[in-house]
């Protein structure tokens, strides 16, 4: 990836009949006959056109539902980046020779947005760009321009990305960081079902919204985004506790000291490994703190969370663990009786676990459920627990077989 001496995100994208030939000075607002006053993206389309980012078509349309090609999005990124690459790139793709986007694509490559190795069989400029590609290009360009974003990509390789696909079927480490940065900065968002849609495409209307978000990134650091900070912490510290809870670690640096280490049940019925710890503060129900809230707390649980004054002051904590049952006929009593309180957790709402495709403790037939697993082949699932935000003193202590310990206190 080439370094960029300066990146100013304030440029233009024109996805009309012809390549861009104008400048980015503000243009008069144009009324497009296919963009009604009730169109969901009208404000963004108008703003993008007024700023000179977009031009419509010669027939007076904008074609808000038309998809965006690789060449068109490369042109966007090449123009929003006003920096000067240390080394310019030329003739990077043979199938772009003479194409209207050749200069823009070469510039996008020079600025670190596009990795030539990703397209060994040619760039295919007319191919419709996927949301996964879009996220990678945007995040790569930010990383090339700023070391903090470069570090953010590194920090989120093993994180839990707050999108549906991260739970099932999972997102590879080669893709996760780019989606983390795109989602964590808010440049791209998920769909109503909280999926990211890696293979889905983007329309011109959607691109206008994304474009304005990119333009607003000027001068911002990766550390200035709360959601991205949470995702980074889950990748590095295996928890977002420091971002969401008032508690302090008095033993151990963070949850990474106890994560991925074996804990043998005191009744010798099995063992477990703790992977991640996710905190959500549901105090303000309509504005819950925590980027992971939609994946663990459902609207149907509102009455439970707000039924008593004590529950209104709790932090909801969700832990991803793997249970390795070694006892024949292992059941929930073995699980409950073999663990210290800090490692013990409750099953989660069945509707939300089904919605996002992850497992929790069984609601019935536990012995049959655990019979499918063994000390060599465990079951990965999520459990929940709740801590009082106002509690003073030791909140929880996690200790693993190798002596690693993490203690959490309320002050």
């Amino acid at each position: 990836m080439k370094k960029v001496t300066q990146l100013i995100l304030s440029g233009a994208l024109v996805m009309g009949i012809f390549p861009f030939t104008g400048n980015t000075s503000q243009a008069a607002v144009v009324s497009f006959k296919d963009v009604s006053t009730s169109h969901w993206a009208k404000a963004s389309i108008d703003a993008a056109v007024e700023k000179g980012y977009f031009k419509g078509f010669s027939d007076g349309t904008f074609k808000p539902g038309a998809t965006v090609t690789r060449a068109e999005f490369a042109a966007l990124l090449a123009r929003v980046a006003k920096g000067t690459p240390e080394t310019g790139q030329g003739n990077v793709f043979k199938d772009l020779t003479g194409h209207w986007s050749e200069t823009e694509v070469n510039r996008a490559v020079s600025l670190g947005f596009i990795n030539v190795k990703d397209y060994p069989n040619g760039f295919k400029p007319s191919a419709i760009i996927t949301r996964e590609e879009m996220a990678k290009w945007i995040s790569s360009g930010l990383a090339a321009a700023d070391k903090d974003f470069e570090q953010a990509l590194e920090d989120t390789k093993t994180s839990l990305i707050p999108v549906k696909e991260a739970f099932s079927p999972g997102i590879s480490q080669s893709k996760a960081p780019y989606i983390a940065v795109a989602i964590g900065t808010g440049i791209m968002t998920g769909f109503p079902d909280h999926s990211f849609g890696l293979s889905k495409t983007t329309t011109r209307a959607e691109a206008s919204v994304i474009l304005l978000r990119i333009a607003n990134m000027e001068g911002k650091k990766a550390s200035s985004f709360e959601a991205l900070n949470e995702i980074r912490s889950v990748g590095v510290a295996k928890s977002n506790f420091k971002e969401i809870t008032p508690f302090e670690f008095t033993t151990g640096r963070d949850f990474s000291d106890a994560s991925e280490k074996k804990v043998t049940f005191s009744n010798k019925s099995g063992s477990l490994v703790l992977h991640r710890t996710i905190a959500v503060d549901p105090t303000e129900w309509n504005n819950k703190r925590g980027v992971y809230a939609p994946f663990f707390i459902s609207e149907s649980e509102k009455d439970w969370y707000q039924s008593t004054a004590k529950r209104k002051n709790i932090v909801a904590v969700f832990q991803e663990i793997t249970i390795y049952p070694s006892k024949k006929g292992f059941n929930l009593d073995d699980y409950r009786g073999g663990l210290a309180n800090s490692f013990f957790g409750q099953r989660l709402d069945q509707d939300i676990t089904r919605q996002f495709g992850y497992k929790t403790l069984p609601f019935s037939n536990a012995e049959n459920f655990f019979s499918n697993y063994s000390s060599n082949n465990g079951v990965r699932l999520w459990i929940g627990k709740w801590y009082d935000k106002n509690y003073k003193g030791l909140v929880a202590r996690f200790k693993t077989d190798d002596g690693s310990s993490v203690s959490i206190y309320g002050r």
Side-chain angles (χ1 to χ4, degrees):
M1 183 181 294
K2 300 296 183 181
K3 294 182 178 179
V4 185
T5 56
Q6 181 184 16
L7 182 66
I8 302 178
L9 297 171
S10 58
L13 171 65
V14 178
M15 291 187 286
I17 298 175
F18 304 106
F20 177 76
T21 56
N23 56 48
T24 61
S25 60
Q26 290 195 344
V29 176
V30 177
S31 178
F32 298 105
K33 59 186 181 183
D34 59 348
V35 181
S36 66
T37 56
S38 61
H39 192 282
W40 71 270
K42 178 174 172 52
S44 296
I45 292 170
D46 288 347
V49 171
E50 183 179 7
K51 294 176 181 295
Y53 298 163
F54 279 92
K55 287 174 65 176
F57 292 81
S58 59
D59 62 356
T61 63
F62 183 79
K63 292 182 172 55
T67 49
V68 181
T69 67
R70 286 176 182 166
E72 290 165 339
F73 199 64
L76 160 66
L77 296 179
R79 293 164 190 154
V80 299
K82 297 302 181 182
T84 302
E86 292 183 355
T87 303
Q89 297 286 327
N91 302 315
V92 293
F93 295 109
K94 291 182 179 179
D95 64 343
L96 280 179
T97 302
H99 192 272
W100 69 264
S101 68
E102 181 179 8
T103 300
E104 286 86 357
V105 173
N106 289 342
R107 176 170 165 77
V109 171
S110 300
L111 293 171
F113 289 106
I114 302 171
N115 186 340
V116 177
K117 293 181 180 179
D118 290 338
Y119 304 97
N121 299 317
F123 186 66
K124 296 180 175 58
S126 297
I128 305 303
I129 191 169
T130 65
R131 283 171 56 83
E132 177 192 330
E133 283 180 292
M134 191 174 283
K136 184 171 185 178
W137 291 11
I138 293 169
S139 301
S140 296
L142 292 173
D146 191 294
K147 289 289 186 181
D148 195 17
F149 280 103
E150 183 179 10
Q151 185 61 50
L153 291 179
E154 186 66 28
D155 291 345
T156 54
K157 282 183 178 179
T158 61
S159 186
L160 177 67
I161 312 305
V163 295
K164 185 176 182 179
E165 295 93 333
F167 293 90
S168 179
I171 300 176
S172 68
Q173 290 186 25
S174 63
K175 298 177 181 180
Y178 306 108
I179 299 169
V181 170
I183 286 284
T185 57
I187 293 177
M188 298 181 73
T189 58
F191 291 94
D193 67 349
H194 302 290
S195 66
F196 184 77
L198 281 75
S199 61
K200 289 185 177 181
T201 57
T202 300
T203 65
R204 283 165 56 84
E206 292 166 339
S208 70
V209 176
I210 292 172
L211 175 60
L212 294 177
R213 291 171 181 162
I214 293 174
N216 288 329
M217 284 292 293
E218 182 180 355
K220 294 182 180 178
K221 307 288 286 185
S223 57
S224 67
F225 295 93
E226 292 183 8
L228 183 55
N229 287 337
E230 277 191 70
I231 303 169
R232 293 175 73 172
S233 288
V234 172
V236 175
K238 304 303 179 184
S239 171
N240 61 346
F241 248 52
K242 290 182 179 179
E243 286 72 25
I244 300 299
T245 79
F247 308 130
E248 297 179 6
F249 291 89
T250 56
T251 303
R253 300 165 300 167
D254 48 49
F255 272 98
S256 65
D257 287 345
S259 296
E260 307 303 332
K261 297 177 180 179
K262 184 178 180 181
V263 178
T264 301
F265 293 1
S266 59
N267 55 19
K268 307 302 181 183
S269 63
S271 62
L272 68 72
V273 171
L274 171 66
H275 304 293
R276 300 183 178 104
T277 301
I278 303 293
V280 175
D281 186 344
T283 303
E284 295 185 30
W285 188 259
N286 294 324
N287 189 29
K288 303 178 189 69
R289 288 191 62 217
V291 71
Y292 299 97
F295 304 95
F296 296 105
I297 299 178
S298 69
E299 287 301 311
S300 64
E301 297 176 284
K302 180 178 180 179
D303 290 344
W304 185 90
Y305 274 97
Q306 300 194 329
S307 60
T308 65
K310 183 176 181 180
R311 286 179 183 167
K312 290 179 182 178
N313 290 315
I314 64 174
V315 172
V317 178
F318 307 95
Q319 292 186 307
E320 185 182 27
I321 63 174
T322 295
I323 295 177
Y324 297 91
S326 58
K327 172 189 171 184
K328 185 176 181 180
F330 184 92
N331 57 41
L332 290 179
D333 287 337
D334 295 310
Y335 165 74
R336 296 188 186 101
L339 289 172
N341 289 338
S342 296
F343 278 105
F344 176 72
Q346 303 287 345
R347 65 173 66 93
L348 304 186
D349 180 80
Q350 196 168 17
D351 290 338
I352 205 163
T353 61
R354 288 173 176 169
Q355 179 183 352
F356 294 108
Y358 59 82
K359 291 183 174 68
T360 189
L361 293 169
F363 282 72
S364 61
N365 300 319
E367 188 172 324
N368 182 60
F369 173 85
F370 286 112
S371 68
N372 297 307
Y373 307 99
S374 68
S375 57
N376 296 317
N377 175 36
V379 55
R380 198 168 181 128
L381 46 77
W382 287 88
I383 57 173
K385 58 190 68 177
W386 300 268
Y387 298 145
D388 185 345
K389 289 191 297 183
N390 298 322
Y391 185 78
K392 311 300 181 185
L394 179 65
V395 175
R397 176 176 288 123
F398 299 84
K399 189 174 182 179
T400 61
D401 288 0
D402 71 352
S404 300
S405 179
V406 175
S407 297
I408 304 165
Y409 277 78
R411 297 295 185 184

